Amino acid sequence: MDRNYYNLNMDSNVGWSRNNENMRIVMVGKTGIGKSATGNTILGRQCFESKFSAKSMTVDCSKGKAVVDGQQVAVIDTPGLFDTRFGMDKTTEDMSQCISYAAPGPHVFLVVIRLGRYTEEEKQTVQRIQEIFGQAADRYSMVLFTHGDLLEDTTIEDFLMECSDLQELVTRCNGQYHVFNNKLKDRSQVTELLQKIRNLNQKNGGSHYTNKMFQEAERAVEEEKQRILKEKEEQIRKEKEELERKLQEKYEKQMKKMNEQLQAERERERKEREEERKRERQEMNEERKREKEEREAERKRDREEKEREYANMMIKMKEQHEKELREEKEKLQKRHESEAREEAEEFNPLYPLVVAAEAIVDAGKVAINAGQKMVVGISSLGKTIRGLFTK
């Protein structure tokens, strides 16, 4: 295998990686290989429960988010694709939740493989991804080898040369692979992985993977988000009003302070003029009059300059107040949208649709109206996962 097949191109970090879209990563693989630890390594914090055990710690699909190297990253940790401890209903629910979490679609499927003995279950992993998510999913797949410390002085390319099965797996993922050592504190391995995902994104035309299931999940999540926002409409309105009231009070206090300072300055000048007039009445010679005129002219210039400065400051304060109010309202709205999105994802809106669609299909009552496409599209997920249990 050509070790330069997938060179790291740091220049491709322009554009997509700095916009507001989350980089969505779905981790798949067999039970107990360290997917949760890998997710924690990527995010740089403990989002998923992880410890050394022969039994999988992850029994439900879960999602963690963090900002990594300035990039919003969302990692979806899935139960093992071959975990047979649970029935088809549980697996269907987990896969539905995975799709809801990753909607409108993942940027990469990370096929997590532990360096060492390559099992038959792992050989079938990419095939299972295709069966569940569609044939085109392999173009968005990347092999992630964990326990990179086991390589010692051997390169990953030399290791792959000794195992034709692993070469075939990497080839099915278009030659895309990366090595992780979850024990290392060095974040460069994470930086390189994210860059490879960005390169993969550009290679696939700059878009994430999607199909009818993900599109329907996105529609359902967005509908639930809008329902939650509608439900909280009055609460959001009150919070905005309270925010506006507080900022208005802050603005009025600042303006009051500025006016008081301006009045104090004017009063000081008035007293100075009165004192000078007293002195002038005592010394009314021409020299004093000339000096008086010069001082008056200088005071007038100073006064006009200060009033211009105060006027400019007041204008800037008003603009700052309006900007701050606008930004705080936007932040409040975005926070509620983000919370509503997360609540909608946790609601798992696609799962009831999957169950309902399967029931309709099994009963032979598939509708022929305009909703037929959605039912068939969603039920394909349930049938696919049911097929995993019957093979």
Side-chain angles (χ1 to χ4, degrees):
M1 176 165 301
D2 184 357
R3 68 184 61 192
N4 295 320
Y5 177 89
Y6 211 85
N7 290 329
L8 191 64
N9 179 5
M10 299 307 291
D11 292 338
S12 66
N13 193 22
V14 178
W16 177 81
S17 64
R18 290 295 180 262
N19 66 16
N20 293 325
E21 184 181 14
N22 283 346
M23 176 187 287
R24 295 179 293 278
I25 300 172
V26 174
M27 297 187 301
V28 295
K30 76 171 189 175
T31 299
I33 58 172
K35 294 192 297 296
S36 297
T38 297
N40 291 334
T41 297
I42 294 173
L43 296 176
R45 60 190 184 94
Q46 290 294 118
C47 289
F48 308 108
E49 185 177 4
S50 172
K51 68 178 182 179
F52 182 74
S53 173
K55 181 180 179 181
S56 173
M57 297 295 296
T58 302
V59 296
D60 296 303
C61 184
S62 56
K63 179 179 181 178
K65 296 191 294 184
V67 177
V68 183
D69 295 342
Q71 169 72 58
Q72 291 282 349
V73 177
V75 176
I76 293 89
D77 185 14
T78 63
L81 290 177
F82 298 86
D83 194 336
T84 57
R85 287 179 293 166
F86 308 106
M88 187 185 68
D89 288 343
K90 178 68 167 64
T91 304
T92 301
E93 180 181 1
D94 287 336
M95 289 299 101
S96 299
Q97 184 67 77
C98 170
I99 292 171
S100 295
Y101 278 152
H107 293 95
V108 67
F109 293 97
L110 278 187
V111 183
V112 183
I113 303 290
R114 187 184 190 281
L115 281 172
R117 184 172 176 270
Y118 185 47
T119 67
E120 184 63 32
E121 291 180 0
E122 290 168 320
K123 292 179 184 179
Q124 299 177 28
T125 298
V126 175
Q127 181 64 33
R128 288 296 175 89
I129 294 174
Q130 291 180 341
E131 291 174 355
I132 294 173
F133 299 106
Q135 291 294 319
D138 61 347
R139 291 194 296 111
Y140 295 82
S141 299
M142 179 185 300
V143 181
L144 179 64
F145 295 103
T146 63
H147 298 80
D149 53 299
L150 297 177
L151 288 172
E152 296 182 345
D153 296 330
T154 304
T155 66
I156 184 61
E157 289 78 15
D158 290 339
F159 181 82
L160 293 175
M161 289 295 292
E162 297 176 0
C163 181
S164 59
D165 288 336
L166 281 178
Q167 290 183 48
E168 181 181 353
L169 173 64
V170 171
T171 299
R172 292 194 66 175
C173 294
N174 292 308
Q176 294 152 166
Y177 62 91
H178 191 64
V179 180
F180 249 20
N181 183 347
N182 294 333
K183 296 180 180 179
L184 285 182
K185 301 299 182 182
D186 183 9
R187 296 291 296 169
S188 65
Q189 60 181 348
V190 176
T191 300
E192 291 179 7
L193 172 65
L194 297 189
Q195 189 58 50
K196 287 182 179 181
I197 296 174
R198 294 185 188 102
N199 291 346
L200 174 63
N201 177 259
Q202 291 184 347
K203 185 178 178 181
N204 286 320
S207 64
H208 55 76
Y209 174 73
T210 191
N211 61 14
K212 289 183 179 179
M213 288 190 300
F214 281 109
Q215 292 164 3
E216 177 59 26
E218 175 65 11
R219 184 199 63 76
V221 167
E222 187 61 27
E223 282 186 0
E224 179 64 12
K225 168 188 165 184
Q226 294 303 325
R227 185 196 66 77
I228 293 170
L229 288 175
K230 183 69 175 177
E231 188 177 85
K232 295 183 177 181
E233 196 173 63
E234 182 65 17
Q235 174 189 343
I236 294 172
R237 183 189 64 78
K238 289 181 179 179
E239 289 186 20
K240 286 182 177 179
E241 288 179 352
E242 178 65 13
L243 175 65
E244 185 173 1
R245 184 189 64 77
K246 289 181 178 179
L247 289 176
Q248 184 65 28
E249 287 181 357
K250 177 182 176 183
Y251 168 70
E252 290 175 355
K253 286 180 180 179
Q254 290 174 335
M255 293 300 295
K256 181 180 179 181
K257 184 177 180 181
M258 289 292 296
N259 285 323
E260 289 174 350
Q261 290 176 347
L262 181 60
Q263 292 298 325
E265 183 67 20
R266 288 173 177 171
E267 180 65 17
R268 185 187 63 79
E269 289 182 357
R270 187 188 65 79
K271 290 181 179 180
E272 285 183 356
R273 287 196 300 271
E274 287 182 355
E275 289 296 325
E276 288 181 359
R277 289 192 189 100
K278 290 180 181 179
R279 289 194 300 269
E280 288 168 3
R281 284 192 293 268
Q282 297 171 357
E283 303 175 6
M284 289 298 293
N285 57 48
E286 291 298 322
E287 181 65 19
R288 293 297 182 183
K289 289 182 180 180
R290 185 183 61 80
E291 290 177 355
K292 172 194 172 184
E293 291 172 354
E294 289 177 352
R295 286 195 300 270
E296 284 291 342
E298 183 176 356
R299 285 196 190 97
K300 183 179 180 181
R301 289 193 298 271
D302 290 343
R303 183 170 61 254
E304 291 174 348
E305 178 64 24
K306 287 179 180 178
E307 289 186 353
R308 282 195 297 271
E309 291 177 358
Y310 276 115
N312 289 334
M313 289 175 65
M314 288 181 179
I315 291 172
K316 289 181 180 178
M317 285 176 62
K318 182 177 180 181
E319 291 174 348
Q320 178 64 28
H321 164 70
E322 293 174 349
K323 178 183 177 183
E324 185 177 2
L325 177 59
R326 185 171 57 255
E327 290 176 346
E328 290 298 325
K329 282 184 176 181
E330 290 175 355
K331 285 165 62 177
L332 177 65
Q333 183 66 30
K334 288 181 180 179
R335 176 171 65 80
H336 277 284
E337 288 184 1
S338 176
E339 291 174 354
R341 173 78 190 205
E342 292 178 0
E343 187 175 341
E345 290 177 345
E346 292 293 343
F347 179 71
N348 195 358
L350 188 59
Y351 177 59
L353 298 178
V354 172
V355 175
E358 285 189 282
I360 293 173
V361 172
D362 291 341
K365 298 179 181 179
V366 177
I368 60 172
N369 56 21
Q372 181 179 20
K373 292 184 179 179
M374 182 185 76
V375 173
V376 174
I378 300 173
S379 65
S380 63
L381 170 64
K383 289 188 175 295
T384 298
I385 297 174
R386 178 185 294 166
L388 302 182
F389 285 84
T390 58
K391 289 185 178 181

